[in-house]
Amino acid sequence: EGRIAAGSAIPVAFHVISDKKGVGDVPAAWLDAQIEILNRCYAGRDYDGNPVAGAANTGYTFYKASVDRSRNPGWHKMLPGSSREYHAKLRLGVDPKTTLNIYTAGPGYGLLGWATPPEWLASLEVWHGVVIHWASLPGGPFTYYNLGATAVHEVGHWLGLAHTFEG
């Protein structure tokens, strides 16, 4: 409620967070490829743009509205619910009521990403957005996990989808 309308064009603000050596400072082409994958998958297509039988076109489209880059080793290693995540999102986030904020970082513990659900927006606005491991972007070095599916999955949570095992 009071948020992005169903089936609308969604501006994406990318926040590229690298460590002190620049690890995670991904090229713009990877971000563009991620937008393309989001648009294909949310239109009922596969990664290559082919129609998927039974898959719905959600009507959502995504476009890259902005990109900022930060070299911050603390934020780069953020974990869900941590003070590092809070401070990165507080400093970098663009209006979460109108914009999908995607933070690329290098979280530990084997995490590929996480998202805040829409019901958190009213009370926890600063936390809102999606965090993905930079190496999971299309073109990234995570073999088998570098097709852009992490962002597709987490954006689904951001839009309000739950895991099938969550009822």
Side-chain angles (χ1 to χ4, degrees):
E1 192 172 319
R3 220 175 91 93
I4 294 169
S8 64
I10 299 175
V12 177
F14 281 106
H15 309 287
V16 178
I17 304 170
S18 59
D19 71 6
K20 66 182 178 182
K21 294 181 180 179
V23 173
D25 190 10
V26 301
W30 292 9
L31 304 177
D32 294 338
Q34 184 63 73
I35 292 291
E36 182 65 29
I37 295 299
L38 285 166
N39 283 324
R40 286 176 181 170
C41 291
Y42 280 89
R45 298 182 174 276
D46 66 16
Y47 300 111
D48 296 319
N50 301 309
V52 175
N57 182 341
T58 66
Y60 287 114
T61 57
F62 303 86
Y63 65 93
K64 185 169 69 172
S66 64
V67 178
D68 58 66
R69 296 174 184 276
S70 301
R71 192 170 280 200
N72 186 313
W75 293 353
H76 183 71
K77 289 294 181 188
M78 73 171 85
L79 293 171
S82 68
S83 65
R84 291 174 175 182
E85 179 187 14
Y86 175 81
H87 289 291
K89 289 180 172 182
L90 179 66
R91 171 74 169 87
L92 302 174
V94 175
D95 185 5
K97 291 180 181 169
T98 61
T99 305
L100 167 57
N101 288 276
I102 297 181
Y103 302 83
T104 66
Y109 301 112
L111 291 172
L112 289 173
W114 63 91
T116 52
E119 59 267 20
W120 288 19
L121 184 58
S123 61
L124 300 168
E125 185 173 310
V126 73
W127 291 95
H128 228 258
V130 169
V131 178
I132 59 170
H133 198 294
W134 67 270
S136 73
L137 288 164
F142 276 175
T143 304
Y144 306 116
Y145 298 97
N146 60 353
L147 300 174
T150 298
V152 171
H153 177 99
E154 298 305 339
V155 168
H157 292 316
W158 183 82
L159 288 168
L161 296 174
H163 293 115
T164 55
F165 55 82
E166 293 177 312

